Amino acid sequence: MQNTGIGLVLLGLVFGALVWILIVWYKPAISVRQILRLVILTGLFGHLILAFVTPTFFAPDEQPHFKYVQYLAVHTSFPIQDSATDAPTNDWEYYQPPIYYIVSVPIYWLVDGLSDGNVYVTVRALRLFSIALWGVTLWITLLVLSR
């Protein structure tokens, strides 16, 4: 798994270097708006690569975050934090504010039901949902900044 992480970092570095070379090379011909579009597309590309290439639960806290959504979906109540960080039960993110997790529950229900409980598919769907939230946040930020 460590090789995958190193490969992803190297891929990101190469892609980022290519983007900056393009910006420097075409500097007189590129407007600020075009640079912003390029940065947004680079961010989207990076998010999608991570969503589909990163192994399930590769990030050290992905499984605890997933378990929070899973707990809400299964029990329809809030979990109680009773374990320490890095506990083997992987339920140490229950102290987080619940809005993101509550909004993620319908995605979990839909995908978990359609995939017959396939965790791989459910995690990918939740990652894509997080990317969609990133896009909404970016859109709202650009609207505010444009005023």
Side-chain angles (χ1 to χ4, degrees):
M1 265 205 251
Q2 190 171 359
N3 289 338
T4 303
I6 292 170
L8 289 174
V9 169
L10 290 176
L11 179 66
L13 288 172
V14 168
F15 187 75
L18 289 175
V19 168
W20 283 114
I21 288 170
L22 283 173
I23 289 172
V24 170
W25 184 268
Y26 293 107
K27 186 176 183 180
I30 292 183
S31 69
V32 172
R33 185 174 295 269
Q34 289 171 322
I35 291 173
L36 184 60
R37 284 186 189 134
L38 188 59
V39 169
I40 291 169
L41 286 174
T42 302
L44 180 61
F45 178 74
H47 278 91
L48 292 172
I49 290 282
L50 286 173
F52 289 106
V53 176
T54 306
T56 304
F57 304 140
F58 180 75
D61 63 346
E62 184 173 38
Q63 188 172 17
H65 286 293
F66 178 79
K67 287 188 87 169
Y68 193 160
V69 175
Q70 187 178 45
Y71 188 95
L72 290 173
V74 171
H75 299 284
T76 61
S77 65
F78 291 112
I80 296 174
Q81 178 73 42
D82 61 0
S83 60
T85 301
D86 291 332
T89 55
N90 283 320
D91 59 357
W92 39 270
E93 290 289 353
Y94 290 167
Y95 67 90
Q96 298 284 355
I99 296 288
Y100 168 78
Y101 304 98
I102 292 169
V103 178
S104 299
V105 167
I107 304 298
Y108 177 92
W109 281 334
L110 177 69
V111 176
D112 191 60
L114 291 174
S115 69
D116 292 326
N118 186 329
V119 173
Y120 176 86
V121 174
T122 306
V123 167
R124 296 305 175 285
L126 289 170
R127 287 177 181 178
L128 290 175
F129 178 65
S130 292
I131 293 170
L133 290 177
W134 169 79
V136 169
T137 303
L138 184 63
W139 178 67
I140 291 170
T141 301
L142 292 174
L143 280 176
V144 169
L145 290 176
S146 69
R147 294 177 189 238

